[in-house]
Amino acid sequence: MSTEYTPPTRDPARVGYLSWLLHRLSALALVPLLAIHVGVQVYPQYGFDAIYQYNIYQPLLSLTLGIVLLHAFLGVRATTLETRLSSRLKTVIIWLVGLFVLSLFVYRLVG
């Protein structure tokens, strides 16, 4: 029997397969969305200003924020589940972070 500490991994079985898959898919979705966002901000002279003209920039910005917040929440959730905290404390932390992320997204949509 080994007494050596081995750190936990982001095993899908440990954090849940759906959460694991959503975390990966949100990372993939962020690549083009952030590229569009940077293009609009930095390179409008290369045709990215058309996104403003067709009024799709604000919905894309809201979608980008939503996916960033989802990705952040799932990352914090996976990290929290891998800690040695009690199960009850893990649940409280995940709910608090989830409510905070949700309130940020609702604030963006409403305000």
Side-chain angles (χ1 to χ4, degrees):
M1 181 197 276
S2 174
T3 59
E4 192 175 310
Y5 173 72
T6 56
T9 60
R10 298 277 163 107
D11 182 23
R14 184 179 201 111
V15 297
Y17 286 101
L18 182 60
S19 297
W20 181 84
L21 182 64
L22 284 174
H23 196 225
R24 279 13 179 218
L25 291 175
S26 66
L28 290 175
L30 283 173
V31 173
L33 288 171
L34 291 175
I36 291 170
H37 178 68
V38 169
V40 167
Q41 297 296 320
V42 180
Y43 302 110
Q45 67 271 22
Y46 294 111
F48 284 101
D49 58 344
I51 292 174
Y52 277 125
Q53 293 171 357
Y54 293 113
N55 293 327
I56 59 172
Y57 183 66
Q58 288 303 320
L60 276 179
L61 201 58
S62 296
L63 178 66
T64 303
L65 178 65
I67 294 176
V68 164
L69 291 174
L70 173 69
H71 186 76
F73 169 71
L74 291 172
V76 169
R77 179 186 176 273
T79 302
T80 304
L81 289 175
E82 292 175 350
T83 62
R84 295 181 182 185
L85 300 172
S86 70
S87 178
R88 184 169 178 87
L89 185 56
K90 288 178 187 180
T91 303
V92 169
I93 291 171
I94 291 170
W95 272 98
L96 288 175
V97 171
L99 290 173
F100 177 70
V101 164
L102 183 63
S103 67
L104 284 176
F105 188 65
V106 169
Y107 179 75
R108 165 68 176 124
L109 291 179
V110 174

